[in-house]
């Protein structure tokens, strides 16, 4: 019997008097994909940063079910422990792949970095794993020694995903994973993400303002407005039968081609 | 040579030397850890060995015998100037013999002759932070040191192998001191890295511009980073030194004319000279 992977209780982050996010509570179960939607400035990214141990919340708890020691509050952990967790059991996919990649070293080194950080010291094995992961994210293996600078936007995003998944994390945080990509590339990326999430049994928290992305990826949805969660529920339920007036506005403002 | 008047012993004032000694003591207590210190203006430009000179000035005493080498040679401009600087301001004896020296200030080399207990080797360091080219933020590199978070350094070595088929870093090769701190050994060739491991001599590193002192105490483990399938290896040459015939020393390539003539000779002039003298004596 396992409990929830991530338990969030009363999470509030204030920027002085202004509210980043207020009183957010939810549970995320293993293998579940949670979408966070809302307009710009609604506190989605603040919430994601608080959840992924990059921004200390003003109040509230984020408890993660670690592999070895069970549920632990991530902000009560020692820093080395937290860093290890962030680079083994977690993945963080940034909106701008340049934030999550080392642009000055080859694709292979980017994928291998996490392995080396946790102690891999065999060049051949690191390279074999990098090769395998590039294949999995549909990057031709002969580009393993190319610099990310020579990659297209979609490839960069896929490289970033490979880099995060190489240590077989259980939880991945994604901030607008398809932002800034054109529509056909978006579709391919979403397809890939969906397949990886299902194959690997990943749990994920996906922040997006694109409801189509949310519908494709997320099992459950949280709608945010002005730092507060106004509606939660199963994705289809929220999108097809929105209850809160703001959600109704959000759903109705999607352009139909 | 007469001692210059109007200077305190070894140029620096006593308070400054005390401050530097304190930094050195801390550095020795935490092998490989970079201790900040209040580096002073010295009468020569940054990059010419201001850090090394300040460390030497703080540890040298009237009974010491100083040797200064630059690229292994005792007779290059920098080595001659620094040696004369201490001869004038401290009135200490100087030598070119590695075995006779008690304090050796060096740039780019460790003497070929094995060092002994009681000797102090002072390195001039241009950039003390081994993670600098990977992480430009000082706050972040300090955090990485504090957490022994050194995976990024292997990324650089990985990148070397991916591009060149081998670890192409040949000087300033990163080492792990006492299984804890990652350290830049200053721009010595990686040929000299094994000499730092378990050395009986005290090794002090001074970076004047960057205001850092660090140390490797005697008999401390110094391990060069590598991969299991690409182990650390030093340079080798397919010919001996053309002057003394040594096969086990670090060789410099010297261009002798403008028609492609060149010769390989020991970079350590004292080592080469001693061997030639010994060979000559044996012949006579």
């Amino acid at each position: 019997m396992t409990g929830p992977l991530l338990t969030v209780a009363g999470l509030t982050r204030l920027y002085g008097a202004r509210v980043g996010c207020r009183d957010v509570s939810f549970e995320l179960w293993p293998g579940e994909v949670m979408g966070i939607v809302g307009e710009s400035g609604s506190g989605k990214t603040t919430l994601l940063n608080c959840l992924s141990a990059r921004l200390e919340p003003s109040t509230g708890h984020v408890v993660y079910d670690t592999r070895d020691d069970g549920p632990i509050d991530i902000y009560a952990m020692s820093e080395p422990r937290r860093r290890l967790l962030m680079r083994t059991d977690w993945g963080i996919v940034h909106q701008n792949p340049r934030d999550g990649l080392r642009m000055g070293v080859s694709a292979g080194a980017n994928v291998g970095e996490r392995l080396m950080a946790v102690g891999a010291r065999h060049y051949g094995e690191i390279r074999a794993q990098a090769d395998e992961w590039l294949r999995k994210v549909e990057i031709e293996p002969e580009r393993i020694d190319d610099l990310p600078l020579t990659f297209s936007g979609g490839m960069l995003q896929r490289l970033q995903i490979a880099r995060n998944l190489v240590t077989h994390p259980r939880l991945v945080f994604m901030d607008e994973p398809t932002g800034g990509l054109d529509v056909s590339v978006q579709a391919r990326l979403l397809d890939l993400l969906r397949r990886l999430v299902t194959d690997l049994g990943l749990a994920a928290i996906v922040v997006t303002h694109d409801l189509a992305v949310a519908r494709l990826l997320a099992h459950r949805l949280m709608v945010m407005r002005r730092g507060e969660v106004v509606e939660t529920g199963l994705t289809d339920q929220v999108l097809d039968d929105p209850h809160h007036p703001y959600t109704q506005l959000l759903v109705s403002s999607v352009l139909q081609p | 040579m007469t001692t210059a008047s109007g200077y305190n012993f070894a140029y620096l004032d006593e308070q400054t030397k005390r401050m530097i000694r304190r930094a050195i003591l801390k550095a020795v207590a935490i092998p490989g850890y970079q201790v900040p210190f209040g580096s002073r203006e010295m009468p020569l430009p940054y990059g010419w060995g201001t850090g090394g000179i300040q460390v030497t000035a703080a540890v040298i005493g009237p009974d010491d015998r100083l040797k200064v080498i630059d690229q292994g040679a005792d007779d290059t401009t920098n080595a001659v100037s620094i040696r004369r600087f201490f001869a004038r301001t401290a009135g200490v004896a100087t030598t070119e013999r590695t075995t006779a020296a008690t304090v050796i200030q060096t740039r780019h080399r460790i003497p070929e002759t094995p060092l002994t207990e009681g000797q102090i080797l002072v390195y001039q360091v241009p950039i003390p932070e081994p993670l600098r080219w990977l992480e430009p933020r000082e706050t972040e590199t300090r955090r990485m040191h504090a957490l022994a978070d050194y995976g990024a350094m292997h990324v650089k070595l990985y990148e070397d192998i991916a591009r060149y088929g081998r670890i192409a870093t040949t000087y300033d090769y990163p080492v792990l001191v006492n299984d804890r701190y990652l350290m830049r050994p200053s721009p010595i060739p990686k040929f000299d890295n094994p000499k730092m491991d378990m050395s009986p001599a005290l090794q002090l590193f001074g970076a004047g511009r960057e205001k850092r002192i660090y140390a490797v105490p005697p008999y401390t483990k110094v391990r060069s980073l590598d991969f299991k399938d690409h182990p650390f290896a030093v340079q080798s040459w397919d010919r001996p030194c053309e002057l003394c015939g040594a096969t086990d020393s670090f060789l410099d390539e010297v261009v002798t004319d403008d028609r492609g003539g060149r010769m390989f000779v020991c970079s350590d002039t004292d080592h080469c000279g001693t061997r030639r003298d010994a060979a000559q004596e044996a012949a006579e």
Side-chain angles (χ1 to χ4, degrees), chain B:
Chain B
M1 202 179 291
T2 52
T3 311
S5 60
Y7 287 110
N8 188 33
F9 177 77
Y11 187 77
L12 290 175
D13 61 278
E14 291 304 314
Q15 277 303 324
T16 301
K17 284 198 257 181
R18 230 169 113 171
M19 176 267 295
I20 295 173
R21 283 173 199 146
R22 268 217 280 262
I24 292 173
L25 285 177
K26 183 169 178 182
V28 169
I30 319 172
Y33 174 74
Q34 300 166 45
V35 184
F37 79 111
S39 176
R40 299 290 189 252
E41 288 287 333
M42 295 304 284
L44 75 166
Y46 288 128
W48 288 27
T50 51
I53 291 182
Q54 290 179 74
V55 170
T56 303
V59 297
I60 203 164
D63 303 329
D64 275 317
R65 191 179 297 271
L66 178 71
K67 170 184 164 82
V68 183
I69 49 176
D70 173 7
Q71 310 270 10
D74 290 276
D75 50 6
T76 47
T77 318
N78 217 335
V80 171
S81 319
I82 294 173
R83 200 159 53 228
R84 196 165 55 195
F85 174 80
F86 280 111
R88 280 201 186 145
T89 59
V92 293
T94 59
T95 179
E96 295 191 356
R97 289 268 175 263
T98 303
T99 44
T102 54
V103 178
I104 303 171
Q105 183 172 335
T106 179
R107 171 173 180 258
H108 290 154
R109 280 309 310 279
I110 296 175
E112 304 285 0
T113 317
L115 300 176
T116 54
E117 281 183 27
Q119 286 184 312
I120 301 178
L121 189 58
V122 179
Y123 297 78
Q124 303 168 194
V125 181
I127 296 160
E129 179 53 68
L131 301 163
R132 181 56 70 232
W133 304 126
L134 304 160
E135 175 52 65
R137 288 167 295 177
E138 175 73 13
T139 47
E140 187 58 25
T141 53
R142 283 206 196 189
R143 190 174 286 250
M144 289 162 93
H145 281 297
L147 303 173
D149 189 359
Y150 295 141
M153 200 74 228
H154 272 89
V155 173
K156 183 176 178 293
L157 300 182
Y158 171 97
E159 196 62 9
D160 264 6
I161 303 175
R163 282 193 200 169
Y164 308 108
R166 64 197 154 80
I167 297 177
T169 309
T170 52
Y171 68 96
D172 217 347
Y173 193 101
V175 293
L176 200 64
V177 179
N178 202 21
D179 294 326
R180 176 61 183 82
Y181 281 99
L182 190 65
M183 187 185 91
R184 254 182 125 126
S186 85
I188 59 171
K190 68 177 175 183
F191 181 86
D192 286 343
N193 273 17
K195 294 181 195 159
M196 306 177 78
D197 186 34
M198 289 299 180
S199 167
L202 170 62
Q203 304 173 69
L204 303 174
F205 299 76
R209 177 172 41 204
E210 303 285 327
K211 303 181 172 57
R212 294 287 185 277
I213 286 174
Y214 50 101
V216 176
Y219 302 110
T220 304
K221 230 166 107 182
V222 176
R223 192 168 56 78
S224 306
L225 297 187
D226 60 1
F227 285 102
K228 277 181 201 141
D229 48 347
H230 284 266
F232 174 79
V234 299
Q235 297 101 320
S236 60
W237 289 262
D238 51 7
R239 57 182 90 187
C241 167
E242 284 177 38
L243 296 179
C244 73
T247 51
D248 57 350
S249 69
F250 188 84
L251 300 186
D252 277 344
E253 184 180 2
V254 180
V255 175
T256 50
D257 55 37
D258 58 359
R259 290 183 298 279
R262 60 199 57 213
M263 63 194 287
F264 285 84
V265 297
C266 290
S267 94
D268 186 337
T269 50
D270 169 54
H271 179 70
C272 198
T274 312
R275 280 178 52 89
R276 270 182 291 159
D277 291 348
Q280 198 161 14
E281 261 172 50
E284 279 164 7

Side-chain angles (χ1 to χ4, degrees), chain A residues 15 49-50 65 77 119 136 143 149 183-184 206 210 234 242 253:
Chain A
Y15 296 106
N49 286 344
C50 285
D65 186 14
M77 266 181 210
K136 280 191 192 167
R143 302 211 61 179
L149 288 170
V183 185
S184 60
V206 184
D210 188 338
L234 298 174
S253 51

Side-chain angles (χ1 to χ4, degrees), chain A residues 92-94 96-97 100-101 156-164:
Chain A
I92 297 174
V93 177
H94 296 259
N96 184 346
L101 291 170
L156 284 177
Q157 198 57 281
R158 277 178 279 146
L159 180 60
Q160 196 192 181
I161 289 164
R163 171 185 161 92
N164 274 292

Side-chain angles (χ1 to χ4, degrees), chain A:
Chain A
M1 176 61 209
T2 53
L5 194 61
L6 195 72
T7 311
V8 182
L11 192 79
T12 300
R13 168 73 201 195
L14 302 173
Y15 296 106
R18 281 179 298 121
V19 177
C21 60
R22 194 203 304 268
D23 200 23
V24 178
S25 305
F26 68 91
E27 285 177 347
L28 184 77
W29 293 76
E32 188 182 30
V33 179
M34 164 84 91
I36 304 177
V37 296
E39 61 191 8
S40 292
S42 59
K44 304 185 299 273
T45 302
T46 297
L47 176 61
L48 192 77
N49 286 344
C50 285
L51 297 178
S52 57
R54 288 176 294 169
L55 184 69
E56 191 150 2
S58 308
T59 55
H61 300 284
V62 181
V63 177
Y64 178 73
D65 186 14
T66 56
R67 275 182 219 240
D68 304 328
D69 302 318
I72 298 181
D73 187 337
I74 56 167
Y75 288 99
M77 266 181 210
S78 68
E79 183 156 357
R81 181 86 200 274
R82 191 156 62 225
R83 282 203 167 201
L84 184 69
L85 180 74
M86 287 175 79
R87 64 167 59 125
T88 52
D89 237 14
W90 287 7
I92 297 174
V93 177
H94 296 259
Q95 175 173 8
N96 184 346
R98 284 170 182 79
D99 296 341
L101 291 170
R102 271 181 202 279
M103 298 304 285
V105 299
S106 67
N110 265 296
V111 179
E113 177 173 357
R114 276 180 161 227
L115 297 171
M116 293 183 248
V118 297
R121 293 291 180 262
H122 191 285
Y123 175 80
E125 286 165 14
I126 293 168
R127 199 170 166 81
Q129 289 226 37
D131 182 88
E132 185 193 329
W133 274 98
L134 288 181
R135 277 173 213 274
K136 280 191 192 167
V137 297
E138 300 168 7
I139 294 176
E140 305 92 80
E142 57 264 27
R143 302 211 61 179
I144 189 167
D145 291 334
D146 290 353
L147 291 182
L149 288 170
T150 63
F151 284 19
S152 70
M155 284 171 82
L156 284 177
Q157 198 57 281
R158 277 178 279 146
L159 180 60
Q160 196 192 181
I161 289 164
R163 171 185 161 92
N164 274 292
L165 296 186
V166 68
T167 49
H168 300 284
R170 290 195 297 164
L171 175 57
V172 180
F173 298 95
M174 292 186 233
D175 192 356
E176 307 269 10
T178 57
L181 301 177
D182 66 49
V183 185
S184 60
V185 177
Q186 263 191 33
R188 259 182 82 194
L189 186 73
L190 285 173
D191 207 37
L192 175 80
L193 274 176
R194 207 148 67 135
R195 207 181 63 229
L196 287 174
V197 165
T198 335
D199 288 357
L200 305 169
L202 288 175
I205 297 182
V206 184
V207 161
T208 180
H209 60 258
D210 188 338
L211 294 182
V213 171
R215 194 192 278 275
L216 267 173
L217 282 179
H219 304 138
R220 265 202 302 156
L221 218 52
M222 243 171 26
V223 183
M224 288 189 77
R225 184 198 184 196
R226 294 188 194 150
E228 291 180 21
V229 175
V230 294
E231 187 164 354
T232 56
L234 298 174
T235 305
D236 292 343
Q237 197 183 330
V238 171
L239 293 181
D240 295 340
D241 181 20
H243 284 201
H244 192 276
Y246 176 70
T247 316
Q248 291 168 357
L249 178 77
L250 205 64
V251 171
S252 62
S253 51
V254 173
L255 293 176
Q256 299 296 333

